[in-house]
Amino acid sequence: MLVRPQFVLASLALLVLPANAQTEDLVFTLTNGTSSVLTEFYVSPVGVRDWEEDILDVDMLAPGESIEITIADGRSVCDYDMRFEFDAESDLDTTEDTQNLCELGEYTVRD
C-alpha cells in the first residue's frame, strides 16, 4: 500500500494541534481561606474592561475548601484580574486581585 506524504503530514498535524491547545490552559488550585462562602469567581485578562463569566465549577466553595481551576480561554496572556464574590449573608465585600497565573500553582483568597 502506497501512503502519500501529504496524508502523513496532515495526520501528524492533527496529533500536534490538541497538545498545543492544552499548553495554553492555565491551571491552579483555588483555596477559600476566608470565613465566608465563596459563591462566584471571575477572571479577565488585565486591560479587559468587562468580567468574563463565573468560572467556579461548583455552586459554592466553603471556608477551607479547595478546587482546581482551569482557564481555557486560548489566550497567551498570564496577567489576570480576579474577582471573588461571597454569600449575601457574609460580612466580606467583593474582593479583587491581579496575579500572573502562569507562575501561580495555587491561590488562597483571604479575609
Side-chain angles (χ1 to χ4, degrees), residues 30-41 54 56 58-67 83-95 109-111:
L30 174 64
T31 300
N32 182 359
T34 72
S35 56
S36 298
V37 173
L38 179 64
T39 56
E40 297 177 45
F41 174 53
D54 178 15
L56 195 60
V58 293
D59 290 335
M60 62 168 199
L61 194 62
E65 289 186 337
S66 297
I67 188 171
R83 180 181 176 99
F84 304 92
E85 294 187 8
F86 299 94
D87 185 75
E89 298 173 10
S90 169
D91 292 337
L92 290 179
D93 292 328
T94 297
T95 302
V109 60
R110 301 196 187 280
D111 289 27

